Amino acid sequence: AVYEPVEGFTLPAFEGVIQRLRCSEGHWFDTERMVCEACFPNQYIINPGTGRCFDCPSLGALCNGSALRDSAGLDKVGAVWLPNDETGMYQLVRCPTGYQLHNQEYQEQHCEPCNVGYFIAGSDDPRYTCHLCPEGYWCPNQGPPVQTPPVEAMVQLEGISVKTMMESDMVRRTVAQALERATAVGAGMAQVAQVCEGGSCTDVDQRRRARVLLPNREGLLMGALHDSGTARRSEASVEVRVQVFAQDAEALRLAM
């Protein structure tokens, strides 16, 4: 019941339900002070107003007080963080092809890449580990072995620098995913093999042998890369040798 004096008169008692508004992003509700409080910058909150703030996993994530993202940008190329119903906290449940999943300890959750020349059978279970790629096989993106040699092509990409392409596996993975969509092959079956500058090419993966050349796919690739925000409008450019793995070259040409 609520009683309110107004100019010497007393209003009749009435009953009603008072519902507070939802707290904004990055805030939790303090039930003692009855106000919304901001999470700290190194925290996140999944359900503003009803949930609580959690510390950001220290190894594999970055937080801004409201949300969580992968610290290496791998959530753009296959890493998946999902809320855990039991704990109410984010859990890393999948890594990109060729990465080992570490999620047994909350603070140490991260994706660890297999070394060049190694592979991992799956990236959605921490029990999978990296193994040496078998002799006579290819392990694209450090994923499961395949026997069929790749089809290769040289592609000029605008808006990406040589330095960025060499240093960022996330950027190379984004290029590979755009190529997978352009050629209709399976996930993890395309990769950047070399980064070239001034006629000199540097290997990303030592295990390669060209089979046939693909027609240049700059148009489709650049469209996908600009859509993803990886390639930006600038004067920077880079030439890369890409590889696509399919059952045979003829099947790949038909997919084109």
Side-chain angles (χ1 to χ4, degrees), residues 60-116:
L62 293 175
C63 301
N64 62 5
S66 62
L68 175 150
R69 63 181 177 86
D70 191 273
S71 59
L74 296 178
D75 42 3
K76 297 181 180 180
V77 291
V80 178
W81 293 80
L82 292 176
N84 185 303
D85 292 336
E86 294 183 0
T87 64
M89 298 182 288
Y90 274 115
Q91 182 177 21
L92 180 62
V93 298
R94 180 184 295 276
C95 293
T97 300
Y99 282 75
Q100 184 176 358
L101 172 65
H102 295 278
N103 66 357
Q104 297 96 324
E105 298 293 333
Y106 173 76
Q107 282 292 344
E108 298 179 0
Q109 296 181 97
H110 69 287
C111 295
E112 181 180 4
C114 294
N115 291 328
V116 171

Side-chain angles (χ1 to χ4, degrees), residues 37-64:
E37 297 282 2
C39 298
F40 290 114
N42 64 335
Q43 294 182 323
Y44 67 89
I45 185 168
I46 297 175
N47 298 306
T50 60
R52 52 165 290 196
C53 304
F54 293 104
D55 291 337
C56 201
S58 57
L59 279 183
L62 293 175
C63 301
N64 62 5

Side-chain angles (χ1 to χ4, degrees), residues 149-169:
V151 174
E152 293 192 345
M154 296 297 295
V155 178
Q156 185 79 23
L157 301 176
E158 303 296 331
I160 305 176
S161 68
V162 172
K163 184 176 185 293
T164 297
M165 185 63 69
M166 284 299 300
E167 294 181 355
S168 175
D169 184 55

